[in-house]
Amino acid sequence: MNYRRIVILTGAGVSAESGMGTFRDNDGIWTKYDIEDVATPEGFARNPVLVHDFYNARRRALGDAAPNPAHLALARLEKAVAAAGGELLLVTQNVDNLHEKAGSTNLLHMHGELARVKCDACGVAGAWEGDLDAATECWRCGRVGALRPDVVWFGEMPYGMDAIYERLSACDLFVSIGTSGEVYPAAGFVMEADMAGAHTVELNLEPSANARGFREGRYGPASEVVSQWVEDLVAKLGS
Ligand code: OAD
């Protein structure tokens, strides 16, 4: 099958083997922290020190993290699809930068990025490498304490939704990788793609909460399963 319009969704599982940690697995991030405390605007208003400490630690971890074979395979696939005259949009729920480190370029961070901050007072947003604290001044408006991680918290609208739904409604292949299917709107993308008549594939360590919504599933560590699946698809491109 010669797929031309591909949408791929990734979640924490694609970065697990790079040491970034998943959320809902046995030793996941949400077993150690309360979502309400560190991933909501209300939690930030209540205790900005705790929220900054949480994201500072995760931002620091970015420096040591390297893409694994799954990230590299997806970057290779983007180039192969383009060379065959098609287009691949990679939508990630991850706030790490491992897809870009691997070389993916047509990439949308729907839950924001650890390496960016934004100002709640004036709205400016930009790249940020170091720590952030409640005394940090906004570089544009000068307000102290209004800078926050540019990540999407629960209760906030994910980024790029119009573009994502437009691409889902016209895709012929949708692939979901390393995500538990617990968090909407991302968990609903497979239904959109299915309604568009796309082939749908889940690649995950084990079947996710909405595995039955996919036409095909391949299970195992992303470094192995994604690499093999990409190899199989690239062999078929242009045929
Ligand atoms: P989860 O932690 O909910 O799910 C991770 C998925 O990856 C699970 O289905 C695991 O089985 C799978 N997995 C674990 N290790 C893997 C490996 N080596 N190879 C392949 N798969 C593996 O993470 P997400 O689905 O990404 O949002 O979570 C979605 C959103 O919930 C996140 O973006 C974050 C979180 O709360 C916000 O913070 C807004």
Side-chain angles (χ1 to χ4, degrees), residues 11-13 16-17 22-25 30 93 111 152 154 178-180 183 204-206 220-222:
E17 290 161 85
T22 57
F23 294 96
R24 294 175 181 78
D25 292 307
W30 297 151
Q93 297 168 88
H111 288 168
V152 175
F154 287 89
T179 176
S180 57
V183 178
N204 207 37
L205 193 57
E206 53 197 32

Side-chain angles (χ1 to χ4, degrees), residues 37-40 43-45 47-56 149 153:
D37 289 339
V38 298
T40 63
F44 183 53
N47 191 347
V49 173
L50 175 74
V51 175
H52 284 313
D53 286 352
F54 175 76
Y55 289 98
N56 286 342
W153 286 328

